[in-house]
Amino acid sequence: MILRARVVVTMDGEPIENGAVAVRGSRISHVGRFADVTRHAAGTPLDLGEVALLPGLINAHCHLDYTLMRGAIAPTNFFADWIEAINLAKASLTSTDYLAAIAAGFDQAQRYGTTAIANFEAFPDLLASIAGSPLRVWWFPEMIDIRTPVNVADIVDRACEYLSRAGPRSGLGLAPHSLYTASPALFAQAAEIARRDGLLLSTHLAESRDETAMFRSASGPLFEMMRRFERGLDDCGRATPLARFLQQVRVGKDWIIAHLNELSSGDFELLARSQKFHIVHCPRSHRYFSHTPFAIQRLRELGFNVCLGTDSLASNESLSLFAEMRALSEKEPALSAREILEMATVNGAAALSKQAELGRVRAGFAADMIAVGSEYTDSEVYDELINFSAEVKWMMIEGESVEPQNQEDSRFCFPSLNSEIFSALRLWRKSSL
């Protein structure tokens, strides 16, 4: 088919007025002005109307398991308190609840134009029960070994069995959860298997002030929590989380690092000399926790690929990357609208090692696109796009049109938290703040 739009935003050059994209099978075959594409490509034209046609958005860090937790946990004074609260909330949920949360997350992400997600899966055993996804999903089994040993090879085998049934829209990575919950041995085993099998790697790092206090000065609420969990603390009181991570892990372009919020001047010196990994910033979750301002300009100047994620609905309001782009634009007015849109398309594709397939509207790339209403000229369309706040009515993944479900927002609630559990949460928060 040949898709016609008022403007095609390729992320691969200037926007194309009265543009068209020819799709053959699952790939894009031609891109250009409508008159030119119809001369060179066969296919039935489909006029999408007065819309901007652009690459599908890529969410580089998400926790779909917690989609039903929106609004369940109020912001806390300390990150460790939030961990306590989410653990309490999780204790009331069943596997059925988590499967419903994942399905709801797919639906909501789709409604807001996301076609690919890097999802941290806290319960890898659930994969066997997931029928599949209309979106592209990279599953990152989240691994913690504070109390229980983790067999990474076994997790990979079971995940690969699921992926063989889920089809080509799914991929796999490995995610030792964080420095404070995953041992050096777990990091090493995950990295060895990931590099052997060509998998991506991801972790949370330098996310909070509590984490910095734990590793830099052996103090603070997170340090005390880990003491209660009987985690060994010999690695605390010596260096920043980033310094500790770089001492422990051989990093490279296979690593996607979530957050990196708390950085010292010495950390920036280390980053200047380190291999360039990918960094995911989650603007609205960052705002929810009141983290130290994210050093986006400095990280970009050092050559790091910065992309966008939503984190989970336990610390966010929706899975909309458009809302993340708006939040980032408000916080960082020096960034251009095009640079911000790149973080949700081109940069996310690079983080997933799919820079030759996703994130652009280009001949030979996967036909993953979305259409949103557009009234502006090509010079203003980037500003219009990052301020888009409606639901996306049309999307295509692998050359197939996908219809968003457009479920009511009431679906995204926390049905398993009955009034007694909510009361327990409120009492816990009151006593801990």
Side-chain angles (χ1 to χ4, degrees):
M1 69 178 70
I2 297 175
L3 305 169
R4 181 265 169 195
R6 194 195 69 72
V7 59
V8 177
V9 180
T10 67
M11 306 309 295
D12 193 36
E14 294 305 310
I16 303 170
E17 292 282 350
N18 193 28
V21 178
V23 176
R24 179 178 297 171
S26 64
R27 297 279 163 171
I28 295 169
S29 62
H30 295 78
V31 181
R33 294 185 62 81
F34 180 71
D36 295 332
V37 171
T38 53
R39 276 199 304 268
H40 295 99
T44 303
L46 173 62
D47 191 345
L48 296 175
E50 298 304 290
V51 300
L53 185 63
L54 65 150
L57 305 184
I58 299 173
N59 186 340
H61 183 71
C62 186
H63 297 261
L64 294 174
D65 292 335
Y66 308 140
T67 302
L68 301 183
M69 290 190 186
R70 187 177 66 179
I73 304 173
T76 57
N77 285 351
F78 297 101
F79 186 71
D81 291 345
W82 181 86
I83 294 174
E84 295 270 18
I86 195 171
N87 285 340
L88 177 61
K90 287 164 63 175
S92 73
L93 296 176
T94 66
S95 295
T96 300
D97 294 321
Y98 286 117
L99 290 170
I102 292 168
F106 288 153
D107 185 41
Q108 187 177 149
Q110 185 178 338
R111 291 165 60 200
Y112 293 114
T114 295
T115 56
I117 298 176
N119 180 56
F120 270 45
E121 180 49 57
F123 308 99
D125 288 344
L126 289 179
L127 289 176
S129 301
I130 297 172
S133 165
L135 313 179
R136 295 184 189 271
V137 183
W138 274 260
W139 297 96
F140 286 81
E142 187 177 64
M143 297 173 288
I144 294 172
D145 66 348
I146 294 177
R147 293 172 171 166
T148 306
V150 172
N151 188 323
V152 179
D154 183 54
I155 289 174
V156 170
D157 288 344
R158 283 182 282 130
C160 287
E161 182 180 347
Y162 162 74
L163 293 176
S164 69
R165 303 193 313 272
R169 290 185 184 175
S170 294
L172 181 63
L174 296 177
H177 173 265
S178 66
L179 282 184
Y180 54 89
T181 54
S183 68
L186 179 54
F187 271 95
Q189 187 185 16
E192 178 184 358
I193 291 175
R195 286 169 181 144
R196 182 195 71 191
D197 295 348
L199 307 178
L200 298 173
L201 290 155
S202 190
T203 193
H204 303 89
L205 181 65
E207 182 173 4
S208 67
R209 297 180 185 90
D210 286 5
E211 185 180 345
T212 296
M214 173 178 169
F215 284 100
R216 194 169 194 176
S217 60
S219 65
L222 188 60
F223 179 83
E224 295 303 327
M225 176 188 290
M226 292 299 111
R227 189 199 300 276
R228 293 198 305 274
F229 289 167
E230 299 182 350
R231 177 198 186 276
L233 299 171
D234 293 344
D235 57 346
C236 298
R238 300 180 181 180
T240 65
L242 176 71
R244 178 66 182 167
F245 179 74
L246 294 178
Q247 291 165 7
Q248 178 177 307
V249 177
R250 179 169 64 87
V251 295
K253 291 188 176 181
D254 51 349
W255 275 98
I256 304 172
I257 304 300
H259 306 308
L260 218 62
N261 299 320
E262 306 294 333
L263 297 171
S264 68
S265 58
D267 285 335
F268 285 107
E269 294 174 7
L270 292 174
L271 289 170
R273 300 192 300 269
S274 76
Q275 293 290 320
K276 304 309 181 211
F277 45 80
H278 308 279
I279 301 168
V280 189
H281 179 45
C282 304
R284 291 182 298 157
S285 181
H286 188 283
R287 182 175 62 197
Y288 168 93
F289 287 112
S290 299
H291 293 311
T292 297
F294 183 64
I296 189 166
Q297 295 286 20
R298 196 163 181 186
L299 291 168
R300 281 161 51 87
E301 289 168 3
L302 288 172
F304 288 90
N305 175 49
V306 181
C307 39
L308 293 182
T310 59
D311 216 341
S312 81
L313 292 199
S315 61
N316 206 340
E317 299 166 357
S318 74
L319 299 180
S320 170
L321 283 172
F322 284 109
E324 300 298 338
M325 289 189 281
R326 290 195 299 275
L328 181 58
S329 179
E330 293 168 5
K331 195 72 175 178
E332 300 288 344
L335 288 172
S336 72
R338 174 165 182 158
E339 288 173 323
I340 292 173
L341 187 57
E342 285 174 346
M343 293 178 198
T345 53
V346 177
N347 296 10
L352 294 172
S353 295
K354 292 294 181 181
Q355 61 270 28
E357 297 183 48
L358 304 176
R360 303 180 193 271
V361 179
R362 177 194 283 183
F365 274 48
D368 288 21
M369 294 172 283
I370 61 174
V372 302
S374 176
E375 300 176 353
Y376 291 85
T377 65
D378 59 352
S379 62
E380 300 169 318
V381 71
Y382 293 111
D383 291 292
E384 179 189 33
L385 287 173
I386 68 168
N387 286 293
F388 179 77
S389 59
E391 293 184 4
V392 172
K393 302 301 183 182
W394 183 93
M395 72 163 47
M396 170 177 280
I397 301 177
E398 286 197 321
E400 297 180 3
S401 295
V402 179
E403 293 292 332
Q405 296 300 307
N406 294 319
Q407 299 288 338
E408 293 296 325
D409 276 350
S410 60
R411 176 174 178 177
F412 305 104
C413 59
F414 206 18
S416 292
L417 281 190
N418 56 32
S419 58
E420 289 80 9
I421 295 294
F422 270 117
S423 296
L425 276 172
R426 284 194 293 270
L427 288 172
W428 182 90
R429 287 199 297 267
K430 186 180 294 185
S431 66
S432 64
L433 295 180

